[in-house]
């Protein structure tokens, strides 16, 4: 069976339909051909983090890139400070 790729908006719409309560969760899952376990996982994620949480890997990759950029910035700053400290130590030892 081929796996289906759901967009964050599709996931949100399915979760919201389940939260409305017009249709049972079992029927909703049958309509969209997903398991109830998957529905409840999406629901929990949506409640915890909203639409951003359902975006999944894309938002995590973006967050990871931001952290890596910040780490590189700090490493550069530490390097500059280390060189400056070494220069000051040499100056004081004269």
């Amino acid at each position: 069976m081929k796996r289906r790729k759901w967009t964050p908006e599709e996931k949100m719409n399915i979760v919201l339909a389940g939260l409305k309560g017009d249709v049972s969760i079992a029927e909703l899952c049958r309509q969209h051909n997903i398991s109830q376990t998957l529905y409840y996982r999406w629901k929990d994620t949506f409640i915890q983090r909203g639409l951003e949480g359902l975006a999944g890997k894309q938002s995590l990759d973006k967050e990871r890139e931001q952290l890596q950029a910040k780490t590189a910035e700090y490493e550069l700053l530490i390097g500059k400070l280390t060189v400056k400290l070494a220069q000051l130590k040499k100056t004081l030892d004269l």
Side-chain angles (χ1 to χ4, degrees):
M1 187 171 179
K2 188 176 179 182
R3 288 186 80 157
R4 182 155 191 297
K5 193 96 164 144
W6 297 91
T7 66
E9 289 80 16
E10 290 172 323
K11 294 175 185 180
M12 180 184 68
N13 289 332
I14 292 170
V15 168
L16 290 175
L19 291 173
K20 282 182 185 176
D22 295 338
V23 179
S24 72
I25 301 302
E27 179 60 31
L28 181 67
C29 292
R30 272 194 297 278
Q31 289 173 359
H32 293 284
N33 199 24
I34 61 172
S35 70
Q36 289 186 29
T37 303
L38 181 59
Y39 167 81
Y40 286 112
R41 189 175 338 136
W42 288 352
K43 178 184 155 205
D44 292 342
T45 302
F46 180 72
I47 289 171
Q48 289 173 357
R49 298 185 304 192
L51 181 60
E52 181 184 325
L54 295 176
K57 189 175 187 233
Q58 294 171 342
S59 64
L60 291 177
D61 287 343
K62 186 176 180 180
E63 186 177 333
R64 183 176 293 125
E65 287 175 14
Q66 290 173 343
L67 289 173
Q68 287 174 341
K70 200 68 163 169
T71 302
E73 181 183 332
Y74 289 146
E75 287 173 346
L76 182 61
L77 181 61
I78 290 169
K80 288 179 180 179
L81 291 173
T82 303
V83 169
K84 185 141 185 128
L85 180 62
Q87 290 172 344
L88 288 172
K89 283 182 177 180
K90 281 184 181 179
T91 304
L92 293 175
D93 286 336
L94 288 176

